[in-house]
Amino acid sequence: MKTTFKLYLSFFVLFFMITSCDKEELNIEESSIEEAKNFENKATEIVEITHNYDYYGEKFKILYVLDTKESQILKVDGDVQIAERIFGKEDAPQGLFFEDYKEGDTTINVKVFKTNNEVDGYVEKLAGDFPKETSEQQVTKEACVDGSINGSGTFYFYYHINYVTEMTGIRRTNKYYYKDWNLGIYNDHMSSLRVTKPWGRRAYIRLYQHSCYNGRTLNFYSPYYQTSVGARDLRRYRLSGWWFWKKSWNDKTSSYRVWAW
């Protein structure tokens, strides 16, 4: 009887040790999977963005490391001194034109212009028949007006990145040209935008830093072979100025002009 009891006891102890080891291994495995997931999620919050700038033939490159969760630039690397010299001067360039733009790109080619009229001139060279309106206007009551011509382009603007929560009050449908001098309740709240148009049509979007079409500008051009294009995260586009790496175009738009022709 005692021998049988000892055998049962030994078997129970051995079974307990085996199951305990299995549970421990399972917990370690689950913990490792959870840590891997957390690391992966953390990694996807950090995005490296490269801007290849061209300032009248002087080319320089800046790498921005963006924490998308906190909306902060963690690191700036590359030709920082050249960028500070160009963007930090008193008469800093007014227009940034994003060339060969593709939605979601992290390597972005940027043409830098002193004036918005020069941006218009460059677009005219690209498109040939760009229906430009004089961009540089004096701050007068006459300049602070809206304008509209019907056409085939539809323009959407959003409160948040990735085209979330549309600003329906300023959606522009079937337009050849539209300008909006004051965004009202939408002022300084834009985080993403997109345009749709028929194949064979071009589109051009200009965002202004201030109302009445004043201040620095962000410019996107869409060639005839694209039917839809957008900027899904305006945090990826930096403002000109001495602290150019600290300020993005997110929540900075106060007026705009759009074309689809």
Side-chain angles (χ1 to χ4, degrees), residues 53-60 82 86 110-113:
Y53 292 100
D54 184 345
Y55 180 63
Y56 301 100
E58 183 176 4
K59 297 183 179 181
F60 56 101
I82 298 175
I86 292 173
V110 191
K111 287 274 190 183
V112 184
F113 295 92

Side-chain angles (χ1 to χ4, degrees), residues 47-51 53 62-66 73-77 83 87 236 238-239 244-246:
V47 178
E48 292 188 356
I49 303 162
T50 301
H51 283 191
Y53 292 100
I62 298 292
L63 170 69
Y64 303 95
V65 180
L66 172 65
I73 293 293
L74 303 179
K75 181 182 177 183
V76 179
D77 203 356
F87 294 129
R236 297 188 177 195
R238 316 313 296 175
L239 269 166
F244 68 93
W245 62 89
K246 292 288 187 182

Side-chain angles (χ1 to χ4, degrees), residues 11 66 68 75 87 103 111 118 120 152 166 176 185 208 226 234 236 255-256:
F11 176 78
L66 172 65
T68 59
K75 181 182 177 183
F87 294 129
E103 185 175 359
K111 287 274 190 183
E118 290 180 342
D120 286 347
S152 58
E166 185 189 351
Y176 172 87
I185 61 171
Y208 289 86
Q226 292 178 330
L234 289 178
R236 297 188 177 195
S255 56
Y256 67 83

